[in-house]
Amino acid sequence: MSADRTRGATADRTGGAAADRTRGATVTVSTHCAYCALQCGTRLHHDGRAVGVEPSPDFPVNRGRLCQKGWTAPALLTVPDRLRTPLVRRADGALAPAGWDEALDLVASRLTRLREEHGPDAVAVFGGGGLTNEKAYALGKFARVALGTSQIDYNGRFCMSSAAAAGNAAFGVDRGLPFPVTDLADADVVLLAGANPAETMPPLMRHLARPRLVVVDPRRTRTAEQAVLHLQPAPGTDLALALGLLHLAVTDGHLDKEYLDTRTTGFDAAWRYAVAWWPERVEQVTGVPVADQREAVRLLAEAGRRYVLTGRGVEQHSKGTDTTAAFINLALALGLPGRMGSGYGCLTGQGNGQGGREHGQKADQLPGYRMITDPEARAHVAAVWGVDPDSLPGPGRSAYRLLDALGTPDGPRALLLMGSNPVVSAPHAAHVARRLAALDLLVVADLVPSETTELADVVLPVAQWAEEEGTMTNLEGRVLRRRALLAPPEGVRTDLEVLHGLAVRMGQPAERFPVSPRAVFDELRRASGGGRADYAGITYERLDAGEALHWPCPDEDHPGTPRLFLDRFAHADGRARFAPVEYRDPAETPGAGHPLHATTGRVLAQYQSGAQTRRVPDLMDAAPEAHVEIHPDTAARYGLSEGDLARVTSARGSTIARVRLVRTLRTDTVFLPFHFPGAGRANLLTGPALDPVSGMPEFKVSAVRVEPWQERTT
Ligand SMILES: Nc1nc2c(c(=O)[nH]1)N[C@H]1C(S)=C(S)[C@@H](COP(=O)(O)OP(=O)(O)OC[C@H]3O[C@@H](n4cnc5c(=O)[nH]c(N)nc54)[C@H](O)[C@@H]3O)O[C@H]1N2
Ligand SMILES: Nc1nc2c(c(=O)[nH]1)N[C@H]1C(S)=C(S)[C@@H](COP(=O)(O)OP(=O)(O)OC[C@H]3O[C@@H](n4cnc5c(=O)[nH]c(N)nc54)[C@H](O)[C@@H]3O)O[C@H]1N2
Ligand code: SF4
Ligand SMILES: [Mo]
């Protein structure tokens, strides 16, 4: 097959700054951080020798601040083991360097053959919420058009899906924060349920300096330390707590009846469940004292400006959708959503956690947050793509179900993975690694070797944040420009070039898969136009001119929508919906053999599966290895001391982690960060239970035992 013509486009794909850089001039670009959904504004500069970073003084989200990950992000650009050439697994079983044509020819021909022999669903795609809008859009289009497969989903299913499902049901649209983060700074009270922004989004804390915080977390986190009230429920019991807080809001006379009548429906059905959650019963299930429940409701109800915010702590459960809905019910009962200066929001997670779930890499979705089952949506998107609507596949499997089906008789036989490292980050990780190994063909596009590229048959080295142009949508639905400082290293291509190269080799017209991010974005604008997440009026020019554009933005004269719902919610009747939700236990509760709850989450100095941050020396100094937080009394009971290695065991398997004694933790709970590889993977413990609506795995509760572990020295 002939070489595709994607290499000539350097200036276009990387922008002017990178082109200057290659001529040797000192350059500076305004862009955004490599990592989380806060997307802190940064200025990157290259003086000919090294890349430096500083926070943008004028970007309102972080105004002059970064966290340790943001400050050290330039180290990502010079990691010694950066992938610089495609790798192909040879007959001897080893991955060996290959040329781009060889690698892409191989992948395209094998995908084509598998599709011919077993049908289009034999080939699957897995994306990521860290991908730019352009890449997420192109990946979804590649799956539906070039491969014709329904089998695509992405890691956002592990991240935001429960809040998305609850938000869509309640408000008719899902935007993490329906208001700018800076609004929080004027609040009087903020209830943070299952979120630890002091570690996961440190610059956000400046907006939370004034409000009094009520924090709901089984751990006394750095965020909880700043709270006026810390509720410490057992993991997996927040739904009972939220039902109980609603119960108290009503019985203590805080119900906003006028708001209920004019702006909502469904209160009575929701109340039918909450009525049975009187405070003493809630205390029994959650461990949160009645007085604290009452104080939380009083603080929220009596304040002027107040917000309820949720994070992964309440969402990553087999009942995450219902739990989030129960917190939304509480916010609705108090009359908060859609009011200036008050509201409900969910803190999204990955850099493009918001945009990544709007443009079609989700199993059930087309661009603009359209549903793939909706005939009108199919017709609209098919017209933009120049294909027959009937040629578009239907919905596929959600992320864990997809991973679980890989290499099974009914499941996909090949997987193209872009922007995720599931061998570390997926639940029941040992099982997922076995499924990946059972594939006929695993293709992974990444910047660096990861635990997942180790299993791949073909590895494609791609450009990273500061080497390419694009857009990201932050946690407040604001679309941002990611700009290139540098050209990608020799031998490295962009994800868009990879998709183009494969599509062309699989018989697609070259112009259907542009490699220019701007061209992809312009197409995305048309594809999203008229949809729930409408980007039609957002252009690179407007963004480059410094406009703050929050979707929906239906035309080029539209100023964008920083605050949703002030007049009406997005349902046809304009009203928000209470959800009738009832408590249920986690999939697993502690018992004989596994007497403790294990919960998982993050530490400040590592990001996600750690593929990027475990390569940054300062971050490794700060958080070098897997650890397990455990109460001193619990540790003593199981013969463990500070600094020991512990073996933590669930019904799925064991993890080895260094003991950290934490006096403020619940005695029935241990906590493990999930950033570490190998035997330190927290996801060796987590199970396959999923939320029935969102497909979210139960990352936040497993039943475990702990015991001392001696490294074998033989
Ligand atoms: N440093 C760092 N920052 C990050 C990331 C990272 O990996 N590292 N990742 C980014 C991404 S993708 C995301 S999604 C966000 C996540 O941001 P957060 O939601 O803040 O992160 P987590 O640590 O997963 O979970 C938050 C808290 O939930 C608590 N928790 C555990 N179980 C329960 C429970 O049953 N109930 C309640 N109420 N709380 C519980 C944990 O103790 C933890 O403190 O962070 C983003 N920012
Ligand atoms: N136990 C437990 N497990 C969890 C969670 C938890 O709280 N507890 N949280 C879950 C959550 S919220 C999330 S978001 C997931 C995240 O977990 P993952 O999906 O594994 O996310 P990352 O570690 O960010 O993986 C991104 C991979 O893509 C690469 N990459 C980065 N940018 C690009 C790009 O532009 N293109 C390409 N091709 N590759 C790129 C990185 O180098 C890295 O290898 O983990 C989930 N897993
Ligand atoms: S808070 Fe998030 S976006 Fe800001 S510097 Fe830290 S990792 Fe980057
Ligand atoms: Mo996430």
Side-chain angles (χ1 to χ4, degrees):
M1 239 174 266
S2 68
D4 57 306
R5 280 169 294 128
T6 56
R7 301 300 299 160
T10 306
D12 185 35
R13 73 199 173 112
T14 61
D20 284 350
R21 170 70 214 103
T22 53
R23 287 194 290 273
T26 297
V27 287
T28 301
V29 295
S30 285
T31 185
H32 296 271
C33 179
Y35 301 113
C36 85
L38 209 53
Q39 281 298 289
C40 292
T42 59
R43 291 168 63 77
L44 291 180
H45 37 83
H46 194 297
D47 63 5
R49 282 168 298 129
V51 173
V53 63
E54 62 197 19
S56 301
D58 50 357
F59 187 62
V61 169
N62 61 310
R63 195 159 287 154
R65 296 196 188 187
L66 297 175
C67 79
Q68 194 185 10
K69 293 187 301 304
W71 282 114
T72 55
L76 293 173
L77 300 167
T78 53
V79 296
D81 60 347
R82 177 75 190 268
L83 292 170
R84 288 165 184 277
T85 172
L87 303 171
V88 171
R89 198 168 294 281
R90 303 292 180 194
D92 66 357
L95 281 171
W100 272 100
D101 280 334
E102 181 193 348
L104 293 180
D105 287 350
L106 175 77
V107 173
S109 62
R110 292 194 60 188
L111 293 180
T112 303
R113 187 145 28 97
L114 283 168
R115 199 178 52 173
E116 281 165 8
E117 283 171 13
H118 305 283
D121 283 355
V123 174
V125 175
F126 198 90
L131 301 177
T132 60
N133 290 316
E134 291 79 356
K135 296 183 197 186
Y137 171 83
L139 191 65
K141 180 179 176 185
F142 177 81
R144 272 60 174 255
V145 175
L147 301 175
T149 181
S150 68
Q151 300 297 298
I152 174 170
D153 211 49
Y154 81 125
N155 69 4
R157 188 71 68 175
F158 298 163
C159 180
M160 288 295 314
S161 57
S162 292
N168 275 322
F171 308 122
V173 72
D174 150 42
R175 200 180 89 188
L177 299 183
F179 47 81
V181 272
T182 42
D183 281 8
L184 294 170
D186 298 321
D188 299 306
V189 171
V190 175
L191 180 132
L192 278 164
N196 181 19
E199 294 204 63
T200 54
M201 299 184 180
L204 181 73
M205 294 307 283
R206 74 176 310 171
H207 305 299
L208 298 176
R210 190 193 107 97
R212 287 188 287 171
L213 302 182
V214 178
V215 170
V216 184
D217 197 310
R219 300 187 300 142
R220 191 163 183 82
T221 57
R222 287 189 209 174
T223 311
E225 275 167 11
Q226 299 185 36
V228 294
L229 181 64
H230 175 203
L231 311 182
Q232 233 173 328
T237 64
D238 299 78
L239 181 46
L241 180 65
L243 285 161
L245 297 180
L246 177 61
H247 181 106
L248 279 172
V250 174
T251 55
D252 287 0
H254 299 301
L255 201 58
D256 187 336
K257 293 213 177 70
E258 202 217 309
Y259 176 95
L260 240 58
D261 288 345
T262 54
R263 302 214 54 188
T264 70
T265 62
F267 171 76
D268 291 343
W271 175 243
R272 237 169 270 144
Y273 293 109
V275 72
W277 286 94
W278 55 90
E280 292 75 14
R281 184 176 174 211
V282 172
E283 175 169 339
Q284 240 175 17
V285 171
T286 64
V288 176
V290 171
D292 287 355
Q293 297 172 40
R294 195 157 255 133
E295 178 65 359
V297 170
R298 191 191 64 78
L299 280 165
L300 256 185
E302 292 178 1
R305 286 161 300 197
R306 50 244 154 91
Y307 291 85
V308 172
L309 301 179
T310 60
R312 299 309 84 75
V314 299
E315 298 160 11
Q316 289 174 326
H317 294 273
S318 58
K319 54 176 177 298
T321 304
D322 284 358
T323 305
T324 311
F327 279 101
I328 294 175
N329 284 349
L330 173 67
L332 289 172
L334 298 172
L336 312 187
R339 282 245 168 101
M340 192 64 200
S342 292
Y344 161 79
C346 141
L347 298 168
T348 64
Q350 299 181 82
N352 198 26
Q354 182 67 49
R357 69 179 187 269
E358 299 163 356
H359 303 304
Q361 57 177 335
K362 239 173 133 180
D364 52 358
Q365 213 187 60
L366 290 172
Y369 222 126
R370 291 184 158 89
M371 300 318 291
I372 203 164
T373 44
D374 170 7
E376 256 178 66
R378 295 169 67 87
H380 173 87
V381 173
V384 174
W385 288 350
V387 300
D388 177 355
D390 292 337
S391 72
L392 298 179
R397 296 176 168 95
S398 65
Y400 183 78
R401 289 189 205 287
L402 177 59
L403 295 172
D404 187 37
L406 297 175
T408 62
D410 302 327
R413 293 163 175 250
L415 177 70
L416 169 65
L417 208 147
M418 198 170 257
S420 182
N421 182 13
V423 172
V424 175
S425 59
H428 203 184
H431 172 73
V432 166
R434 283 193 292 273
R435 300 279 24 110
L436 290 166
L439 286 165
D440 292 357
L441 179 70
L442 173 62
V443 183
V444 182
D446 209 310
L447 353 158
V448 286
S450 75
E451 293 65 25
T452 305
T453 64
E454 281 171 23
L455 299 181
D457 300 293
V458 180
V459 179
L460 302 172
V462 292
Q464 58 178 316
W465 58 295
E467 299 164 352
E468 57 185 348
E469 301 283 313
T471 61
M472 308 281 279
T473 305
N474 78 351
L475 76 171
E476 36 171 35
R478 178 172 170 171
V479 183
L480 307 168
R481 279 278 280 117
R482 171 179 271 194
R483 295 190 181 86
L485 178 76
L486 306 167
E490 194 56 39
V492 165
R493 293 192 183 180
T494 69
D495 290 299
L496 292 179
E497 288 172 336
V498 167
L499 295 174
H500 174 93
L502 290 175
V504 168
R505 284 172 172 80
M506 295 185 76
Q508 291 291 313
E511 63 282 2
R512 190 174 273 168
F513 288 91
V515 297
S516 148
R518 183 188 294 256
V520 176
F521 189 76
D522 282 337
E523 190 184 305
L524 176 161
R525 292 171 53 208
R526 285 187 284 125
S528 75
R532 278 195 254 178
D534 190 332
Y535 283 50
I538 301 175
T539 63
Y540 274 32
E541 287 73 19
R542 292 183 75 183
L543 295 171
D544 288 343
E547 278 191 76
L549 294 173
H550 303 248
W551 68 257
C553 180
D555 61 66
E556 288 187 39
D557 297 321
H558 193 283
T561 314
R563 293 180 188 83
L564 287 166
F565 315 143
L566 290 182
D567 302 323
R568 60 193 311 281
F569 296 98
H571 288 300
D573 62 3
R575 288 166 178 266
R577 310 228 183 306
F578 279 89
V581 289
E582 173 58 317
Y583 182 72
R584 56 188 192 273
D585 278 330
E588 226 172 53
T589 46
H594 301 107
L596 301 168
H597 298 283
T599 191
T600 62
R602 294 159 165 82
V603 297
L604 196 159
Q606 294 291 348
Y607 190 67
Q608 313 280 60
S609 73
Q612 291 162 286
T613 46
R614 282 188 274 112
R615 292 185 156 75
V616 176
D618 287 344
L619 300 178
M620 282 308 278
D621 286 349
E625 59 177 352
H627 68 261
V628 51
E629 293 184 3
I630 179 166
H631 190 279
D633 296 347
T634 313
R637 189 164 355 123
Y638 298 106
L640 291 164
S641 308
E642 174 79 22
D644 286 354
L645 283 177
R647 180 162 77 170
V648 186
T649 303
S650 76
R652 266 77 48 200
S654 297
T655 295
I656 310 301
R658 185 81 58 194
V659 171
R660 234 181 242 184
L661 299 182
V662 177
R663 196 160 288 285
T664 50
L665 193 60
R666 292 177 60 105
T667 53
D668 60 1
T669 301
V670 300
F671 169 83
L672 301 100
F674 78 100
H675 314 292
F676 298 95
R681 280 175 290 166
N683 280 320
L684 295 172
L685 304 174
T686 52
L690 302 180
D691 182 289
V693 181
S694 67
M696 171 69 88
E698 187 133 88
F699 285 121
K700 294 297 196 243
V701 204
S702 313
V704 298
R705 65 171 176 272
V706 295
E707 62 209 328
W709 190 79
Q710 240 75 56
E711 218 156 346
R712 284 213 195 98
T713 47
T714 48

